[in-house]
Amino acid sequence: MTVSNDTPIEKIFSLEEIDYSRFWGTNDRMLEFVRLLFPKLKLIARGDMLKAIGSDEDIAWFEGKLQAMRTYYDKFGRLTENAIMGIMENATEWSERHPGAASGGSPESEVSDEVLVHGRNGLLIKARTPNQQRLVKAVHENDMVFAIGPAGTGKTYTAVAMAVRALKNKDVRRIILTRPAVEAGENLGFLPGDLRDKLDPYLQPLYDALRDMIPQQKLLSYWEDNTIEIAPLAFMRGRTLDNAFVILDEAQNATSAQLKMFLTRMGRNAKFVITGDLTQVDLPRHQQSGLLQATQILKDVKGIEVIELNNSDVIRHRLVTDIIRAYDNLSQL
């Protein structure tokens, strides 16, 4: 039996890994605009899924334009009617020829090429200081990078943004974030709840960074299927971490044995970023920070780079810089 070319078919497109509510705009304004441009198709949106019903030829035409819209959105973090009309005219070159059209004709400076991730609610996440830019470049060029510096310099936040971008670009299959669970004056055994409840306070900065960068529902699904895993350093023992972007945060609180164990977990197609602040070591007095030792003995190994951030990279409240400087002066007395 031969099926007529006029017989409608349906195809489902996934809009996962983007904030589809922002993609379609307030009250699905951009979706309604797209429907007007494709009157022969029936377009049904359900969360991060879009169903198109129509002829095979019309759906194929629509698929190419939808992909161009996603490319534009990934670059500029939004869609406009002007951008969609340009895509209808030329789906392959519009975003390159009209970089200032991201907000309907605003200056190109609003959509810098340095943007690492388009976060939630239009947040543009990018390297904001020269040393953060050096960190981004180092991660591009090396499989293992140490980022050393005081609190507030954006070490962890920049590393998480790089990890999210790598996952979004399908450069890796998963993100693994880990920290040493050093008690720092608290006894985990006396804290309420199960193991996760006890560990969550130590991992909260990692949760906060991810929530800035990934829509909540998508983030929950990533946690459920272990696409994103957050675990204490001890849980890394015995594993081989392939096809992953792995971040060890607060590495100054890892012993030499722990850090060696972690670094040797590196598998194929993996990126490792190790962050820490050597002025805030919470280990017992008789234990040397593994981070200090590792940066000393690995700094000349090809494929490993050490990036040092300083007070000039602090991007928190201006008083944080003054506080860090005051404590540095005290330590020199």
Side-chain angles (χ1 to χ4, degrees):
M1 178 179 177
T2 302
V3 178
S4 168
N5 290 336
D6 295 330
T7 302
I9 64 170
E10 67 177 48
K11 185 167 184 177
I12 296 177
F13 302 95
S14 173
L15 298 178
E16 63 180 0
E17 299 178 8
I18 66 172
D19 185 344
Y20 57 85
S21 62
R22 184 169 177 79
F23 184 79
W24 292 130
T26 305
N27 298 322
D28 288 341
R29 179 182 171 188
M30 293 303 108
L31 176 59
E32 294 302 322
F33 187 66
V34 169
R35 283 177 172 143
L36 291 175
L37 298 173
F38 292 90
K40 295 182 180 180
L41 292 180
K42 183 176 182 180
L43 301 176
I44 304 171
R46 293 286 186 274
D48 62 0
M49 308 297 290
L50 177 66
K51 180 189 292 186
I53 303 174
S55 71
D56 185 65
E57 182 180 357
D58 288 336
I59 288 179
W61 172 252
F62 172 73
E63 183 173 10
K65 301 303 183 183
L66 180 63
Q67 182 57 48
M69 292 179 209
R70 289 200 59 170
T71 299
Y72 185 94
Y73 176 85
D74 287 342
K75 184 171 184 179
F76 299 117
R78 70 190 82 185
L79 276 179
T80 65
E81 293 180 1
N82 186 36
I84 293 172
M85 286 303 299
I87 288 168
M88 293 299 293
E89 297 169 4
N90 187 338
T92 59
E93 299 179 5
W94 172 254
S95 62
E96 287 78 11
R97 290 186 178 182
H98 299 79
S103 57
S106 60
E108 184 176 358
S109 60
E110 294 186 9
V111 284
S112 168
D113 288 338
E114 296 174 355
V115 173
L116 302 176
V117 177
H118 293 281
R120 300 176 63 190
N121 301 317
L123 179 64
L124 299 180
I125 298 168
K126 57 185 178 179
R128 296 172 59 182
T129 71
N131 283 331
Q132 288 179 10
Q133 291 167 5
R134 288 181 58 230
L135 174 57
V136 169
K137 185 173 185 289
V139 173
H140 276 306
E141 297 177 352
N142 301 273
D143 287 337
M144 184 177 292
V145 175
F146 290 83
I148 313 298
T153 52
K155 307 179 299 295
T156 301
Y157 201 80
T158 302
V160 172
M162 294 289 288
V164 170
R165 183 166 74 169
L167 181 65
K168 183 176 182 180
N169 292 342
K170 302 189 185 320
D171 295 329
V172 297
R173 295 178 185 171
R174 54 185 174 151
I175 296 173
I176 298 174
L177 309 174
T178 184
R179 298 179 81 179
V182 175
E183 296 178 6
E186 296 281 353
N187 190 320
L188 287 178
F190 290 97
L191 293 176
D194 59 18
L195 180 61
R196 177 166 181 172
D197 292 331
K198 294 176 180 182
L199 290 170
D200 272 355
Y202 295 97
L203 305 175
Q204 196 60 49
L206 301 175
Y207 289 119
D208 291 343
L210 287 170
R211 289 190 182 104
D212 275 355
M213 302 176 195
I214 302 175
Q216 182 66 19
Q217 286 303 117
K218 191 62 185 177
L219 184 55
L220 290 174
S221 71
Y222 280 153
W223 282 335
E224 289 173 0
D225 65 12
N226 281 331
T227 298
I228 296 180
E229 177 184 353
I230 303 180
L233 179 59
F235 285 25
M236 298 297 108
R237 188 175 301 277
R239 301 177 61 180
T240 300
L241 306 178
D242 294 322
N243 299 305
F245 197 116
V246 187
I247 299 173
L248 171 58
D249 191 34
E250 299 287 352
Q252 76 275 4
N253 290 325
T255 65
S256 295
Q258 287 175 328
L259 199 51
K260 180 182 177 182
M261 176 274 294
F262 170 77
L263 297 179
T264 55
R265 300 306 93 201
M266 189 176 218
R268 294 169 297 178
N269 189 39
K271 288 274 190 183
F272 272 40
V273 178
I274 301 94
T275 71
D277 177 1
L278 289 169
T279 69
Q280 294 189 6
V281 177
D282 294 321
L283 291 169
R285 291 181 181 274
H286 65 279
Q287 287 187 323
Q288 181 188 26
S289 170
L291 178 61
L292 177 61
Q293 182 190 62
T295 55
Q296 290 172 341
I297 66 178
L298 298 176
K299 62 182 180 180
D300 295 325
V301 176
K302 185 177 181 180
I304 298 177
E305 188 164 349
V306 179
I307 300 296
E308 295 186 7
L309 298 94
N310 53 49
N311 297 349
S312 65
D313 299 297
V314 173
I315 54 176
R316 294 178 180 172
H317 192 285
R318 64 172 182 81
L319 286 178
V320 175
T321 302
D322 294 336
I323 291 169
I324 293 172
R325 185 177 295 113
Y327 274 92
D328 286 345
N329 293 338
L330 177 64
S331 65
Q332 295 171 8
L333 294 179

